[in-house]
Amino acid sequence: MPDSLRGKTILVMGVANRWSLASAIAHAAAREGAALWLTYQAERVQKPVEDLARELNARTAACDVADDAAIAALFARIGAEAGRLDGLVHSLAFAQKQELDQPFVETSRAGFAQALDISAYSLIPLARAAAPLMTAGGSIVTLSYLGATRYVPNYNVMGVAKAALESAVRYLAGELGPRAIRVNAVSAGPVKTASARAIKDFSSILDHVAQRAPLRRVPEPAEIADLAAFLLSDAARGVTGDVLFADSGYHILGV
Ligand code: IMJ
């Protein structure tokens, strides 16, 4: 599907480094002809984002999604400079390391609030701010994980956050559908990103999935990115409110 995003302006949020799924999605979107905006959360990750932006001829902006004023400033700038938006990729999550290391039953009130705020709530104000710029309709894509609906050891509060995120996808799809704005999630299988490297025994999770998934391998970032690019494109014009898996088929297994 060459040029499937030609003429579209797409905002990708959540590039932290070259291994980020957001980075793979930005590459796929650029290959398909999109004009890109990339955001970074903080100066700590500005350099890798600027490097990627140079490579993909993308614009960059800072945006900490915990800050309502930063979200408003981002969309004001995109409105002023691009005039419109066709796609938004939300590839953001955060929980305190402690909440992923200790038993789930020990989850703190503050840790729960922060994980849900950054990983799930943020989709709502971003969709609210993006929608007025999506004058020709649009596509919003977020990233989820199987731990939203199944017990995955150590995923803990992130599982609860992804469950909230997947539900928010359905509510946003219901409300924004009449404005031709679609909202979907890509549920990615385990990939060695910065978000996963920090997890204990991650290699054994990768081995387990590679041995049992129907495709007998872990997904590649490019496969997850191609599914996101499909959802951003008009080829997916009939798809909204859904969670699509790019996980080598792992989620179909009963045993
Ligand atoms: C994360 C924890 C436990 C098991 C996990 C993961 N598995 C996978 C992940 C099996 C695939 C990665 N994932 C899907 C995530 O959503 C990760 C989110 C995350 C990771 C960190 C690590 C560093 C940190 N905070 C984090 N917040 C969210 O400090």
Side-chain angles (χ1 to χ4, degrees), residues 82-192:
R84 60 179 273 178
L85 194 63
D86 302 285
L88 166 66
V89 177
H90 174 277
S91 186
L92 309 160
F94 184 78
Q96 292 293 339
K97 185 81 170 67
Q98 178 183 310
E99 305 292 353
L100 305 174
D101 288 343
Q102 73 192 358
F104 176 67
V105 73
E106 301 295 338
T107 303
S108 71
R109 193 179 296 273
F112 184 98
Q114 183 184 34
L116 274 281
D117 183 36
I118 304 300
S119 313
Y121 174 73
S122 62
L123 184 67
I124 301 166
L126 292 171
R128 182 164 65 235
L133 295 176
M134 292 180 159
T135 47
S139 174
I140 298 174
V141 177
T142 187
L143 274 289
S144 193
Y145 178 60
L146 187 62
T149 56
R150 309 289 174 82
Y151 170 69
V152 176
N154 301 113
Y155 201 56
N156 297 2
V157 73
M158 274 309 306
V160 180
K162 292 300 193 187
L165 180 70
E166 291 184 3
S167 183
V169 161
R170 291 184 285 273
Y171 278 89
L172 290 168
E175 279 192 6
L176 298 178
R179 296 155 74 177
I181 298 169
R182 299 180 292 103
V183 188
N184 293 284
V186 169
S187 187
V191 171
K192 253 191 192 167

Side-chain angles (χ1 to χ4, degrees), residues 183-249:
V183 188
N184 293 284
V186 169
S187 187
V191 171
K192 253 191 192 167
T193 63
S195 281
R197 249 173 244 278
I199 280 70
K200 61 171 180 275
D201 294 334
F202 194 70
S203 304
S204 63
I205 293 168
L206 291 174
D207 290 344
H208 177 89
V209 169
Q211 281 164 25
R212 298 182 189 229
L215 296 179
R216 296 290 192 274
R217 54 184 178 78
V218 290
E220 288 169 14
E223 297 171 341
I224 294 155
D226 281 348
L227 181 55
F230 162 72
L231 287 169
L232 291 167
S233 80
D234 294 340
R237 63 194 176 281
V239 183
T240 195
D242 220 344
V243 180
L244 285 74
F245 289 78
D247 70 341
S248 305

